[in-house]
Amino acid sequence: MEYFAGLDVSMDETHICVLDRDGAIAHQGKAASTPAAIEVELAKAPICSRVVFETGRMAPTLYHGLVERGVPVVCIESRQAHQALKSLATHKTDRNDARGLAHLARTGFFKVVHVKSLPAHAVRSLLIARKKLVGQRVTLENQI
């Protein structure tokens, strides 16, 4: 039988829900928001064919860390997921969001988002820092 997981990620902890093909809950739990801790919690559940989480600040680190560990992870568009989750759960909690994301993983009703590589993020941060420094230099020259 196929199993699907949803991860509701926050800065401190991640809520995890694993569903079977019929939508029955196979496992629920939470772990620290690190790839290693999430992998340990997912190991307690049946092997998942798809693990889904939303885009956000933690997305690049979690995505690449979980891919390195062999987890079949997919990052999905957060605005579309938010609209879908509004219709699934009556109360917005991290646990319900994880269950809703697992339902999205099960049904395939999501838009996959490409996660840039970690070196691409490093280059991007250097470009942003350079732009900020150039702006400060121009401001200083204009004041002089």
Side-chain angles (χ1 to χ4, degrees):
M1 179 172 268
E2 282 187 299
Y3 292 93
F4 304 92
L7 307 177
D8 185 55
V9 179
S10 67
M11 292 300 287
D12 297 327
E13 63 185 12
T14 298
H15 286 265
I16 300 168
C17 182
V18 178
L19 301 178
D20 64 9
R21 173 49 80 186
D22 300 325
I25 296 174
H27 177 76
Q28 280 188 322
K30 60 183 175 179
S33 292
T34 63
I38 293 171
E39 180 191 24
V40 167
E41 187 64 31
L42 285 173
K44 297 176 186 176
I47 296 174
C48 298
S49 57
R50 187 180 305 135
V51 178
V52 168
F53 70 97
E54 297 175 88
T55 57
R57 288 184 179 202
M58 304 282 292
T61 305
L62 286 180
Y63 179 81
H64 293 295
L66 291 171
V67 166
E68 284 177 9
R69 290 166 168 77
V71 177
V73 67
V74 176
C75 188
I76 65 173
E77 215 279 320
S78 62
R79 284 175 277 172
Q80 181 199 21
H82 175 72
Q83 292 300 321
L85 292 176
K86 277 194 331 189
S87 64
L88 288 175
T90 55
H91 301 293
K92 179 150 175 47
T93 64
D94 292 341
R95 193 170 168 171
N96 286 342
D97 285 352
R99 185 180 307 144
L101 290 170
H103 278 294
L104 291 178
R106 182 176 65 87
T107 60
F109 181 70
F110 55 83
K111 182 179 177 183
V112 178
V113 174
H114 172 73
V115 180
K116 294 179 184 175
S117 67
L118 293 178
H121 281 283
V123 168
R124 179 79 176 151
S125 66
L126 286 175
L127 289 173
I128 290 170
R130 181 189 181 280
K131 183 177 178 181
K132 183 74 171 172
L133 288 173
V134 167
Q136 288 175 346
R137 185 194 70 198
V138 168
T139 301
L140 184 62
E141 287 174 354
N142 288 340
Q143 285 180 354
I144 294 173

PDB file of all heavy atoms in Angstrom, residues 1 9 17 22 32-33 77 81-82 91 94 101 103 118 133-134 141:
ATOM      1  N   MET A   1       0.839  -1.174   0.000  1.00  0.00           N
ATOM      2  CA  MET A   1       0.000   0.000   0.000  1.00  0.00           C
ATOM      3  C   MET A   1       0.886   1.240   0.000  1.00  0.00           C
ATOM      4  O   MET A   1       1.938   1.263   0.602  1.00  0.00           O
ATOM      5  CB  MET A   1      -0.899  -0.014   1.240  1.00  0.00           C
ATOM      6  CG  MET A   1      -1.803   1.185   1.331  1.00  0.00           C
ATOM      7  SD  MET A   1      -3.012   1.114   2.633  1.00  0.00           S
ATOM      8  CE  MET A   1      -4.351   0.389   1.739  1.00  0.00           C
ATOM      9  N   VAL A   9       5.806  22.871   8.463  1.00  0.00           N
ATOM     10  CA  VAL A   9       7.099  23.322   8.963  1.00  0.00           C
ATOM     11  C   VAL A   9       6.970  24.675   9.641  1.00  0.00           C
ATOM     12  O   VAL A   9       6.358  25.597   9.113  1.00  0.00           O
ATOM     13  CB  VAL A   9       8.115  23.419   7.805  1.00  0.00           C
ATOM     14  CG1 VAL A   9       9.460  23.899   8.305  1.00  0.00           C
ATOM     15  CG2 VAL A   9       8.246  22.086   7.103  1.00  0.00           C
ATOM     16  N   CYS A  17       2.249  14.176   9.338  1.00  0.00           N
ATOM     17  CA  CYS A  17       1.090  13.303   9.244  1.00  0.00           C
ATOM     18  C   CYS A  17       1.293  12.383   8.054  1.00  0.00           C
ATOM     19  O   CYS A  17       1.621  12.849   6.952  1.00  0.00           O
ATOM     20  CB  CYS A  17      -0.190  14.104   9.089  1.00  0.00           C
ATOM     21  SG  CYS A  17      -1.669  13.072   9.016  1.00  0.00           S
ATOM     22  N   ASP A  22      -6.173   5.367   1.132  1.00  0.00           N
ATOM     23  CA  ASP A  22      -7.589   5.636   1.374  1.00  0.00           C
ATOM     24  C   ASP A  22      -7.824   6.888   2.215  1.00  0.00           C
ATOM     25  O   ASP A  22      -8.972   7.269   2.439  1.00  0.00           O
ATOM     26  CB  ASP A  22      -8.232   4.431   2.070  1.00  0.00           C
ATOM     27  CG  ASP A  22      -8.124   3.180   1.222  1.00  0.00           C
ATOM     28  OD1 ASP A  22      -8.195   3.302  -0.019  1.00  0.00           O
ATOM     29  OD2 ASP A  22      -7.961   2.086   1.789  1.00  0.00           O
ATOM     30  N   ALA A  32      11.840  18.208  15.508  1.00  0.00           N
ATOM     31  CA  ALA A  32      12.534  19.476  15.305  1.00  0.00           C
ATOM     32  C   ALA A  32      12.632  19.749  13.804  1.00  0.00           C
ATOM     33  O   ALA A  32      12.624  18.820  12.994  1.00  0.00           O
ATOM     34  CB  ALA A  32      13.922  19.424  15.926  1.00  0.00           C
ATOM     35  N   SER A  33      12.712  20.992  13.428  1.00  0.00           N
ATOM     36  CA  SER A  33      12.735  21.365  12.008  1.00  0.00           C
ATOM     37  C   SER A  33      14.131  21.243  11.416  1.00  0.00           C
ATOM     38  O   SER A  33      14.695  22.206  10.877  1.00  0.00           O
ATOM     39  CB  SER A  33      12.192  22.783  11.833  1.00  0.00           C
ATOM     40  OG  SER A  33      10.831  22.821  12.116  1.00  0.00           O
ATOM     41  N   GLU A  77       3.650  24.959  -3.835  1.00  0.00           N
ATOM     42  CA  GLU A  77       3.355  26.385  -3.788  1.00  0.00           C
ATOM     43  C   GLU A  77       2.462  26.691  -2.591  1.00  0.00           C
ATOM     44  O   GLU A  77       1.404  26.091  -2.421  1.00  0.00           O
ATOM     45  CB  GLU A  77       2.650  26.767  -5.095  1.00  0.00           C
ATOM     46  CG  GLU A  77       2.975  28.133  -5.612  1.00  0.00           C
ATOM     47  CD  GLU A  77       2.180  29.210  -4.915  1.00  0.00           C
ATOM     48  OE1 GLU A  77       0.997  29.023  -4.643  1.00  0.00           O
ATOM     49  OE2 GLU A  77       2.774  30.259  -4.650  1.00  0.00           O
ATOM     50  N   ALA A  81      -1.622  25.868  -1.689  1.00  0.00           N
ATOM     51  CA  ALA A  81      -1.842  24.965  -0.555  1.00  0.00           C
ATOM     52  C   ALA A  81      -2.729  25.637   0.489  1.00  0.00           C
ATOM     53  O   ALA A  81      -3.610  24.997   1.074  1.00  0.00           O
ATOM     54  CB  ALA A  81      -0.514  24.548   0.055  1.00  0.00           C
ATOM     55  N   HIS A  82      -2.519  26.924   0.730  1.00  0.00           N
ATOM     56  CA  HIS A  82      -3.336  27.658   1.706  1.00  0.00           C
ATOM     57  C   HIS A  82      -4.812  27.639   1.304  1.00  0.00           C
ATOM     58  O   HIS A  82      -5.685  27.413   2.149  1.00  0.00           O
ATOM     59  CB  HIS A  82      -2.843  29.091   1.833  1.00  0.00           C
ATOM     60  CG  HIS A  82      -3.677  29.950   2.722  1.00  0.00           C
ATOM     61  ND1 HIS A  82      -3.688  29.809   4.093  1.00  0.00           N
ATOM     62  CD2 HIS A  82      -4.565  30.932   2.439  1.00  0.00           C
ATOM     63  CE1 HIS A  82      -4.531  30.682   4.612  1.00  0.00           C
ATOM     64  NE2 HIS A  82      -5.082  31.380   3.632  1.00  0.00           N
ATOM     65  N   HIS A  91     -10.542  23.969  11.900  1.00  0.00           N
ATOM     66  CA  HIS A  91      -9.663  24.731  12.791  1.00  0.00           C
ATOM     67  C   HIS A  91      -8.253  24.715  12.232  1.00  0.00           C
ATOM     68  O   HIS A  91      -7.724  23.658  11.896  1.00  0.00           O
ATOM     69  CB  HIS A  91      -9.650  24.122  14.199  1.00  0.00           C
ATOM     70  CG  HIS A  91     -11.007  24.082  14.831  1.00  0.00           C
ATOM     71  ND1 HIS A  91     -11.688  25.210  15.189  1.00  0.00           N
ATOM     72  CD2 HIS A  91     -11.809  23.030  15.152  1.00  0.00           C
ATOM     73  CE1 HIS A  91     -12.846  24.874  15.715  1.00  0.00           C
ATOM     74  NE2 HIS A  91     -12.956  23.554  15.699  1.00  0.00           N
ATOM     75  N   ASP A  94      -1.386  23.395  13.448  1.00  0.00           N
ATOM     76  CA  ASP A  94      -0.270  22.768  12.742  1.00  0.00           C
ATOM     77  C   ASP A  94      -0.576  21.309  12.420  1.00  0.00           C
ATOM     78  O   ASP A  94      -0.231  20.813  11.350  1.00  0.00           O
ATOM     79  CB  ASP A  94       1.002  22.861  13.586  1.00  0.00           C
ATOM     80  CG  ASP A  94       1.490  24.291  13.729  1.00  0.00           C
ATOM     81  OD1 ASP A  94       1.081  25.140  12.907  1.00  0.00           O
ATOM     82  OD2 ASP A  94       2.256  24.562  14.668  1.00  0.00           O
ATOM     83  N   LEU A 101      -1.923  18.736   4.163  1.00  0.00           N
ATOM     84  CA  LEU A 101      -0.832  18.580   3.198  1.00  0.00           C
ATOM     85  C   LEU A 101      -0.665  17.124   2.791  1.00  0.00           C
ATOM     86  O   LEU A 101      -0.357  16.821   1.632  1.00  0.00           O
ATOM     87  CB  LEU A 101       0.466  19.138   3.774  1.00  0.00           C
ATOM     88  CG  LEU A 101       0.518  20.664   3.909  1.00  0.00           C
ATOM     89  CD1 LEU A 101       1.734  21.083   4.718  1.00  0.00           C
ATOM     90  CD2 LEU A 101       0.523  21.321   2.551  1.00  0.00           C
ATOM     91  N   HIS A 103      -3.111  14.999   2.607  1.00  0.00           N
ATOM     92  CA  HIS A 103      -4.211  14.759   1.660  1.00  0.00           C
ATOM     93  C   HIS A 103      -3.858  15.298   0.279  1.00  0.00           C
ATOM     94  O   HIS A 103      -4.163  14.668  -0.734  1.00  0.00           O
ATOM     95  CB  HIS A 103      -5.508  15.404   2.155  1.00  0.00           C
ATOM     96  CG  HIS A 103      -6.237  14.588   3.168  1.00  0.00           C
ATOM     97  ND1 HIS A 103      -6.804  13.360   2.891  1.00  0.00           N
ATOM     98  CD2 HIS A 103      -6.500  14.822   4.470  1.00  0.00           C
ATOM     99  CE1 HIS A 103      -7.386  12.877   3.969  1.00  0.00           C
ATOM    100  NE2 HIS A 103      -7.204  13.745   4.955  1.00  0.00           N
ATOM    101  N   LEU A 118      21.741  24.994  -3.145  1.00  0.00           N
ATOM    102  CA  LEU A 118      22.346  25.781  -2.067  1.00  0.00           C
ATOM    103  C   LEU A 118      23.419  26.736  -2.585  1.00  0.00           C
ATOM    104  O   LEU A 118      23.495  27.876  -2.125  1.00  0.00           O
ATOM    105  CB  LEU A 118      22.883  24.862  -0.981  1.00  0.00           C
ATOM    106  CG  LEU A 118      21.804  24.085  -0.210  1.00  0.00           C
ATOM    107  CD1 LEU A 118      22.436  23.153   0.807  1.00  0.00           C
ATOM    108  CD2 LEU A 118      20.832  25.022   0.460  1.00  0.00           C
ATOM    109  N   LEU A 133      25.725  47.262  -0.191  1.00  0.00           N
ATOM    110  CA  LEU A 133      26.954  48.029   0.010  1.00  0.00           C
ATOM    111  C   LEU A 133      27.111  49.131  -1.034  1.00  0.00           C
ATOM    112  O   LEU A 133      27.537  50.242  -0.714  1.00  0.00           O
ATOM    113  CB  LEU A 133      28.166  47.092  -0.015  1.00  0.00           C
ATOM    114  CG  LEU A 133      28.317  46.184   1.196  1.00  0.00           C
ATOM    115  CD1 LEU A 133      29.438  45.183   0.974  1.00  0.00           C
ATOM    116  CD2 LEU A 133      28.574  47.014   2.447  1.00  0.00           C
ATOM    117  N   VAL A 134      26.782  48.830  -2.284  1.00  0.00           N
ATOM    118  CA  VAL A 134      26.862  49.852  -3.332  1.00  0.00           C
ATOM    119  C   VAL A 134      25.895  50.983  -3.023  1.00  0.00           C
ATOM    120  O   VAL A 134      26.220  52.171  -3.173  1.00  0.00           O
ATOM    121  CB  VAL A 134      26.586  49.234  -4.722  1.00  0.00           C
ATOM    122  CG1 VAL A 134      26.360  50.300  -5.775  1.00  0.00           C
ATOM    123  CG2 VAL A 134      27.728  48.319  -5.129  1.00  0.00           C
ATOM    124  N   GLU A 141      28.498  59.050  -0.703  1.00  0.00           N
ATOM    125  CA  GLU A 141      29.073  59.998  -1.658  1.00  0.00           C
ATOM    126  C   GLU A 141      28.135  61.183  -1.886  1.00  0.00           C
ATOM    127  O   GLU A 141      28.613  62.314  -2.020  1.00  0.00           O
ATOM    128  CB  GLU A 141      29.335  59.284  -3.006  1.00  0.00           C
ATOM    129  CG  GLU A 141      30.517  58.336  -2.961  1.00  0.00           C
ATOM    130  CD  GLU A 141      30.641  57.547  -4.252  1.00  0.00           C
ATOM    131  OE1 GLU A 141      29.759  57.635  -5.133  1.00  0.00           O
ATOM    132  OE2 GLU A 141      31.664  56.823  -4.395  1.00  0.00           O
TER     133      GLU A 141
END
